[in-house]
Amino acid sequence: GLDTLAHVTVNGTAVGDADNMHIRWEWDVKRLLRFGENEIEIRLDSPVNFALKAAETMPLWGSDDATPGYPHLRKAHCMFGWDWGPRLPDAGIWRSIGLLAYDGARLTDVHIRQTHAHGVVTLRITPAIEGAGCRYRVQITAPDGSVTDGGTFDGGDTAQLVIDHPQLWWPSGYGGQPLYTVTVTLLHGEETLDAWPRRIGLRTLTVSRDQDAWGEEFCHVVNGVKVFAMGADYIPEDNILRRVTPARTRRLLEDAKLAHFNCIRVWGGGYYPDDAFYDLCDELGLLVWQDFMFACSAYHLTPAFERSIRNEAVQNVRRIRHHACLALLCGNNENEMFMADTMHAADNPITPEQRADYVKMFEYILPQVCRAEAPDTFYWPSSPSSGGAFDGPNDENRGDVHYWDVWHGNQPFQAFRRYHFRYASEFGFQSFPCLATVESFTRPADRNLSARIMEHHQRNRTANGKIINYLIDTYQVPLTFDDLLYCSQLLQADAIRCGVEHFRRHRGRCMGTIYWQLNDCWPVASWASVDYYGRWKALHYAAKRFFAPVMISAQEEGEHTQHPMVNTFRREPVRCSVRLNVANEQRTQVRGVVRWALRDAQGAVLREGKQPLTVAPLSAVWLEPVALADASATEHYISYSFAVDGTAVSEGCALLCAPKHFAFADPGLAVSAADGWITVHADAFAKSVYIQSDDPDLLLSDNFFDMNPGEKRVQILRGNAEQVRVRSVYSIQTL
């Protein structure tokens, strides 16, 4: 764990140099040790100076937000700056170091493979032993704590053990996460020399690329079941790596599961997470899409660089391959896409040699390592990709897609509905964090979007302007800085909800929605749904609703989808309608009742309907469209719900115009807290009800929700509800 350019001496004698933070360095120092006190010295060189000098010698294409030359160094790329992170390259000892002593032999690795057939699981266990003349024993501890002695084997043999009545591991929402512990003990006679205990889950896991009516599907298949991936992209949790602790990671991943995630994509511009990260994903049922640590860059494949990245890939694949959560290994983030996009450009920054090096790295070296070290784990060359060879990355009908027309392309939220991606592995929308987080890096005079410190904490160059443009298109202009932060979070939640609901309505054609991004590495305006301090933005609360196993959603048509500009000449009148859909991402069918109502701004029902509905497992069902010729786009809204046994398991509201043009009535919001619950009362329709208290870390079972007239109770999950208060969109449209 040396980050990154390190020179190591023991008692004044040089023992080795390190130049890759992603690998484990080991040197034999026995001859240099002495009785009594010894001295290990580690001298670190500047990664910035190294990168700048390398960029002068050989320029490489890479992110414009980062320090030039960073692709020459095997260090987390985002430490050199990204469009959400500062240029703050950490340096030092970032993982444990120590002296390793052993007699005779040691275990350097164990490879476990599974075969599932006829209701039993066969484990093949192959240890790698440094030293000779040893045997090893295998024990398996079941989830209930019972221990099975699998026997003792010669050091060069592969143990084969059969598990009857196996308890299968499933992603969250599809079943449980039982974990077995496999312990391999190295023996010399009866003496124990070494031990290797690891938890595994019994499952099959691959990716299907079968041909179908729409092209080529791309979906995770677990135990023969096609899983709709729901989650977000994970970046390093801090620029200062020592601040990242297992407890902090646990809270973040538990909050992901609380929002019904079943998948996490580890983005390729950071570092390979600690063992604790994968242990937690095993426990929580979070599939891990694991990028290798290459992103948005070209590389120079010298013999030394090749040796380094081979070692890096072998070490990290061996370290994580036993984990139940490991869903796929992906070569890089966006390199293929950018190279394909610039291939025929007149100002192409990528040379033919760099393109050839790309093919060698990601379509030969890394897949070769994966075939040898993790033959049962699916390898994918890049994200996005259609399978490699620069053949149409970002193709709508095959592979995975990064879609950024909403946000970077300034397209409206409804633009998501034009596409039917097979697996959306990146799409996002920015917002500001809450006021308490902004206060952590500003003084009162700085709390303006154009203030210098606010611009320092907005790493995407045009983002503040984009937020303002989308805000003006959607909401009335807020009168206070705090309301501006609130509105930005509503925009973010609206945008991603619009995409995810559309993708889930087309389950089967689309099989993955991984939005950008889950978390932050410092307090900043960004695409994250959970900010640096672990505070949920509106998007994370929305994710809990749109990733719910059973979800009802509305594909509404109105002024905002047909004539968003009020001065556009209209040959045809606005045709208001709604079509509801219920998605069931469970392995059992669900029966319930769909209810909808056309309401006025006071929440009074003008027209309503209901329909019993049975939704098969792992499917989405459309209801017939409902014409709303009697609706006023600016004065009426639609409420809808899906109830099982009389209890609404999913519900929502839809406007027929932009919120800025809706004639909101004063909802007369009132709020109280008691006995671990908060109750909100509304006299009229209230959109995006936001509950706050003096504790910025207050976490609720729901927040930023729409509500019809009446009461809604939410549970306090974390924090204190002192001086609780509430607002809605109506608040920002009045003085």
Side-chain angles (χ1 to χ4, degrees), residues 21-22 70-71 73-79 82 84 233-236 264-273 278 289-297 299 312 329-335 362 366 381-384 402 425-426 516:
M21 76 172 287
H22 302 303
Y70 74 87
L73 190 58
R74 294 307 298 147
K75 177 177 175 64
H77 290 350
C78 62
M79 291 183 175
W82 221 256
W84 38 259
D233 296 278
Y234 169 86
I235 65 169
I264 293 286
R265 175 174 171 245
V266 179
W267 173 73
Y271 60 85
Y272 304 92
Y278 302 98
W289 171 312
Q290 177 66 59
D291 282 1
F292 285 96
M293 291 301 118
F294 304 91
C296 303
S297 310
Y299 301 94
E312 171 187 324
L329 294 162
C330 178
N332 66 78
N333 173 79
E334 296 189 340
N335 294 9
F362 302 111
L366 291 184
S382 184
S383 181
H402 292 190
S425 53
E426 245 193 57
W516 184 269

Side-chain angles (χ1 to χ4, degrees), residues 332-348:
N332 66 78
N333 173 79
E334 296 189 340
N335 294 9
E336 181 187 10
M337 177 185 75
F338 282 122
M339 288 192 174
D341 288 347
T342 61
M343 196 173 292
H344 303 294
D347 58 346
N348 184 6

Side-chain angles (χ1 to χ4, degrees), residues 503-695:
F503 297 139
R504 288 195 64 184
R505 289 194 288 263
H506 294 274
R507 191 209 194 273
R509 189 170 184 179
C510 178
M511 288 302 290
T513 53
I514 309 298
Y515 67 76
W516 184 269
Q517 65 205 62
L518 172 60
N519 59 300
D520 282 326
C521 64
W522 69 319
V524 65
S526 81
W527 296 270
S529 61
V530 177
D531 79 14
Y532 176 73
Y533 295 106
R535 296 162 183 159
W536 288 28
K537 296 184 184 178
L539 171 55
H540 210 72
Y541 283 104
K544 189 178 180 186
R545 295 188 287 271
F546 61 60
F547 282 158
V550 177
M551 179 202 69
I552 187 170
S553 65
Q555 182 170 292
E556 81 292 344
E557 288 289 336
E559 184 180 75
H560 62 312
T561 61
Q562 296 170 31
H563 297 289
M565 302 299 293
V566 296
N567 293 319
T568 302
F569 174 72
R570 301 177 182 179
R571 190 175 293 275
E572 298 289 339
V574 171
R575 297 176 301 280
C576 295
S577 66
V578 65
R579 192 177 187 191
L580 300 175
N581 181 285
V582 178
N584 177 21
E585 202 52 38
Q586 300 178 132
R587 292 167 56 213
T588 56
Q589 73 175 15
V590 61
R591 290 191 180 96
V593 176
V594 173
R595 286 184 169 85
W596 64 268
L598 179 67
R599 298 172 181 259
D600 64 18
Q602 292 288 340
V605 174
L606 307 177
R607 186 153 63 93
E608 62 186 334
K610 69 176 182 177
Q611 177 182 335
L613 188 67
T614 299
V615 187
L618 309 175
S619 68
V621 174
W622 286 98
L623 281 73
E624 290 300 315
V626 178
L628 300 172
D630 52 338
S632 165
T634 59
E635 296 177 350
H636 298 156
Y637 73 99
I638 306 146
S639 66
Y640 50 89
S641 66
F642 183 67
V644 177
D645 296 329
T647 300
V649 296
S650 180
E651 58 189 350
C653 297
L655 299 184
L656 300 168
C657 67
K660 65 180 179 179
H661 292 148
F662 189 78
F664 287 102
D666 184 353
L669 293 176
V671 61
S672 61
D675 301 323
W677 293 82
I678 292 177
T679 302
V680 179
H681 176 86
D683 295 328
F685 170 54
K687 180 168 178 55
S688 304
V689 174
Y690 178 27
I691 303 169
Q692 295 173 276
S693 80
D694 285 351
D695 180 2

